[in-house]
Amino acid sequence: PDTVVSFADYPNIITIIARSLTWQKNRLIISVRNYPNKILAEERLRLLKKWLMKITYHKAQKILSVSERIKDSLESDFKIPSQKINTIYNFL
């Protein structure tokens, strides 16, 4: 495929790793739909998951967040450049 879009934390991590292992040049877009720090606080393996997110999310060409708060968290907690992140709000 020309573009792969992934949703949810673990599928995002797995998709990024799989793309890296296959040498594909397709565009990879991931969507972050939950506030990362809240989700990580509830995880049993939170340190491992946070580390995996930090090393893999940078490899996505674009990251979609559903709020400015999530975007801010990705920038500050995961050091992702703001130009990689676009916010598309959920419809109310």
Side-chain angles (χ1 to χ4, degrees):
D2 294 329
T3 303
V4 175
V5 181
S6 176
F7 301 87
D9 299 329
Y10 285 116
N12 287 343
I13 292 167
I14 292 167
T15 302
I16 293 167
I17 292 170
R19 181 183 179 268
S20 298
L21 294 174
T22 60
W23 306 93
Q24 293 294 312
K25 299 292 184 200
N26 51 9
R27 182 178 166 121
L28 179 57
I29 301 170
I30 62 172
S31 180
V32 180
R33 306 173 93 53
N34 296 308
Y35 184 60
N37 287 331
K38 183 178 184 318
I39 298 302
L40 287 169
E42 299 168 0
E43 287 279 334
R44 230 177 69 214
L45 300 172
R46 69 180 143 274
L47 294 176
L48 175 62
K49 184 176 180 180
K50 186 171 185 173
W51 177 76
L52 285 169
M53 289 170 71
K54 278 186 174 184
I55 65 168
T56 58
Y57 278 25
H58 289 276
K59 296 180 183 202
Q61 281 67 46
K62 277 290 178 194
I63 299 175
L64 302 177
S65 70
V66 295
S67 74
E68 286 297 318
R69 186 174 179 200
I70 292 172
K71 179 182 179 185
D72 293 342
S73 175
L74 292 169
E75 290 173 359
S76 63
D77 300 331
F78 297 92
K79 308 297 184 235
I80 297 172
S82 63
Q83 62 267 23
K84 269 194 168 190
I85 307 169
N86 289 66
T87 302
I88 301 176
Y89 299 100
N90 283 332
F91 181 72
L92 297 177

